[in-house]
Amino acid sequence: MGLAEILGVNHQMERIRAAAICLLLAACQPVSPNPVSSPSHISTSQIPAPQPTMVLPSSTAFPTPIPTYSEEPIPIRTLPPEARPTPLPEPPLLSSALTVLAGSDAPGFQDGKGDLAKFNEPKGLDIDAEGNLYVADTNNHVIRRVSPQGEVITIAGTGQPGDVDGGRQQAQFKFPRRLTLDDFGHIFVIEDTNVEKDPDTGLFIYLNTPIIRRVRKIHISSQKVSNLIFLNSNILKKRLFDIYWHKKNNNLYISGDNVVFEIQTESKVNQITNEKTFDASNVGDYGNLPRWPHNQNPDIDNITVGVNDLLLLTDSSNQILWDMSFDGKPSFFAGGRRSKDEGFDPDGCYDYARFFGLDSVVKDSKGNIFIGQSNMLRKVTPDGCASTVQIKEKVSNINSLFLPSKINDLVMDSKNIIYILSGNKVYKLDLNARAPS
């Protein structure tokens, strides 16, 4: 038998085998309950055309299904734009509402007033009852105080990284990140970093494990620094992101990764959430809202006082604001990820509010939440309606409030003034300075 005849026979056998497989596959299809009847109102033009059949080389080489992942959330309920709840409009801020209280564009380490003072990538900010601001000046390894007039002084740290406790001249910090004040003259500071400076090149290098993770305590009047020693060492096994002292129960709360710790004393530390706390099946209404098909692991970072004087948390993985009770029970407040057919307008209420970064958060006396989102500012009312803070430019047009650098932290005083830590500056934003409506 010649080569052509052999190829012809083989080709014929492959066609017979493919036809047999197609018949077997067709025989396994589900049968209609009434295959002989069909609705009379459907024309043949409405019947989908048959799809091309895949011809397999053998009966054992069936393709393995490829798992698919959509980056779009599942739209569970959809309202037309005109039917969606929207935040009430308010007049924009005047351009004069935003001023620089202290700091300059260039990084450095220098005390002084206004733009004579220099910071180096500060990350944490808080305020006392007299209006003094306290800054965790991260890359300078010190804690600074800024007066209401913009006078900056260093109150703890030498400017050199280290882990020494003691007085103002001896104490050392290593990349202090966030801080909080209580009503008894104490500052609590988080240090958590996997960054080390190469002594030869002067460049920062990132390590796989943290080089330091601790909580420091500063007595403001004596400027004495000490290290908190926790009997529950689990708190130091998690990334420490934010710290908040709650006036209502005189407890510290620390957030990081996907858990929250409550600190009553150094010997009494409770983990009040776990890995499943923020799962969709445990958070009430949010389990029925549009979300990613595969829930992303939560990343609980910022923590502050909530609308009901409990706790408010940010989940930067899922772009959600959570209310949470003191015993660790969360409830959905606003945000989440929606599909593109809902439009791209970030302003909206409840699950129609969209966030693209939850970098810092603070609450005012009326229950409004202000969020640093990259280099812009968002506002969320107590009923969960989010809007973008607008400012009126000198050329008479209105734009969103954009800062040159990312917002690292926010605090607010009793006079409705927000202080913004961004870049190497402390900004002052007067929310009372609004354009006429």
Side-chain angles (χ1 to χ4, degrees), residues 368-388:
N368 298 302
I369 305 297
F370 290 87
I371 299 166
Q373 176 182 289
S374 186
N375 63 338
M376 59 193 298
L377 194 65
R378 306 289 302 282
K379 175 184 176 180
V380 186
T381 60
D383 54 355
C385 289
S387 59
T388 304

Side-chain angles (χ1 to χ4, degrees), residues 297-301 313-322 358:
N297 291 330
D299 191 0
I300 304 301
D301 29 42
L313 308 173
T314 66
D315 177 354
S316 59
S317 287
N318 298 292
Q319 303 297 325
I320 296 171
L321 293 175
W322 297 105
L358 297 166

Side-chain angles (χ1 to χ4, degrees), residues 48-68:
Q51 298 299 311
T53 302
M54 179 185 294
V55 179
L56 304 175
S58 72
S59 59
T60 59
F62 289 95
T64 303
I66 300 174
T68 59

Side-chain angles (χ1 to χ4, degrees), residues 247-279:
K247 187 182 184 75
K248 190 171 184 177
N249 60 9
N250 192 27
N251 289 334
L252 285 172
Y253 292 88
I254 290 181
S255 60
D257 289 331
N258 54 358
V259 299
V260 178
F261 289 90
E262 178 189 69
I263 304 172
Q264 299 181 20
T265 64
E266 290 178 69
S267 60
K268 193 169 184 180
V269 177
N270 302 313
Q271 181 177 323
I272 61 174
T273 69
N274 57 41
E275 288 75 8
K276 296 184 179 179
T277 299
F278 300 94
D279 188 88

Side-chain angles (χ1 to χ4, degrees), residues 78-98:
T78 302
L79 292 174
E82 64 274 10
R84 299 173 193 166
T86 56
L88 294 174
E90 57 183 357
L93 296 169
L94 297 172
S95 58
S96 58
L98 182 68

Side-chain angles (χ1 to χ4, degrees), residues 162-433:
D163 56 2
V164 178
D165 289 342
R168 158 76 177 87
Q169 301 299 324
Q170 297 80 34
Q172 290 182 324
F173 296 85
K174 185 174 283 188
F175 300 104
R177 182 178 178 85
R178 288 289 179 92
L179 51 76
T180 187
L181 277 70
D182 65 13
D183 283 347
F184 309 103
H186 302 120
I187 307 172
F188 299 91
V189 184
I190 281 180
E191 293 171 284
D192 189 331
T193 185
N194 63 341
V195 178
E196 186 70 280
K197 191 173 184 178
D198 189 311
D200 297 326
T201 65
L203 300 175
F204 291 107
I205 55 176
Y206 291 86
L207 307 176
N208 293 328
T209 57
I211 60 172
I212 196 164
R213 181 172 286 166
R214 63 188 176 186
V215 181
R216 311 290 289 282
K217 179 181 178 180
I218 306 172
H219 194 283
I220 296 176
S221 60
S222 67
Q223 297 184 353
K224 185 176 180 180
V225 180
S226 59
N227 189 25
L228 294 187
I229 307 298
F230 301 114
L231 292 185
N232 183 354
S233 61
N234 287 332
I235 189 172
L236 300 180
K237 295 177 182 178
K238 296 287 186 179
R239 179 184 65 119
L240 307 180
F241 186 89
D242 200 8
I243 185 168
Y244 180 76
W245 177 78
H246 205 299
K247 187 182 184 75
K248 190 171 184 177
N249 60 9
N250 192 27
N251 289 334
L252 285 172
Y253 292 88
I254 290 181
S255 60
D257 289 331
N258 54 358
V259 299
V260 178
F261 289 90
E262 178 189 69
I263 304 172
Q264 299 181 20
T265 64
E266 290 178 69
S267 60
K268 193 169 184 180
V269 177
N270 302 313
Q271 181 177 323
I272 61 174
T273 69
N274 57 41
E275 288 75 8
K276 296 184 179 179
T277 299
F278 300 94
D279 188 88
S281 61
N282 295 328
V283 291
D285 289 346
Y286 182 64
N288 299 318
L289 295 178
R291 60 185 186 277
W292 289 82
H294 302 284
N295 246 8
Q296 296 198 85
N297 291 330
D299 191 0
I300 304 301
D301 29 42
N302 297 285
I303 184 168
T304 189
V305 60
V307 172
N308 298 314
D309 285 334
L310 297 177
L311 295 170
L312 184 81
L313 308 173
T314 66
D315 177 354
S316 59
S317 287
N318 298 292
Q319 303 297 325
I320 296 171
L321 293 175
W322 297 105
D323 272 327
M324 194 176 76
S325 61
F326 291 133
D327 58 355
K329 293 184 175 61
S331 59
F332 176 82
F333 180 51
R337 297 179 184 267
R338 279 193 161 273
S339 60
K340 290 183 179 179
D341 63 3
E342 297 294 348
F344 289 99
D345 186 359
D347 294 344
C349 298
Y350 197 53
D351 59 308
Y352 284 100
R354 293 179 58 132
F355 303 107
F356 304 94
L358 297 166
D359 301 313
S360 51
V361 61
V362 70
K363 182 180 81 80
D364 69 10
S365 59
K366 299 178 181 178
N368 298 302
I369 305 297
F370 290 87
I371 299 166
Q373 176 182 289
S374 186
N375 63 338
M376 59 193 298
L377 194 65
R378 306 289 302 282
K379 175 184 176 180
V380 186
T381 60
D383 54 355
C385 289
S387 59
T388 304
V389 175
Q390 307 285 328
I391 192 164
K392 188 171 184 179
E393 298 293 341
K394 294 179 181 179
V395 293
S396 299
N397 64 326
I398 297 171
N399 292 309
S400 298
L401 173 63
F402 289 110
L403 294 174
S405 303
K406 173 185 172 182
I407 296 174
N408 287 320
D409 210 356
L410 301 167
V411 293
M412 177 170 282
D413 69 9
S414 59
K415 299 177 183 178
N416 210 30
I417 294 175
I418 293 182
Y419 295 91
I420 304 172
L421 190 63
S422 175
N424 295 306
K425 295 180 180 179
V426 179
Y427 293 87
K428 181 178 178 181
L429 181 66
D430 187 353
L431 297 178
N432 304 298

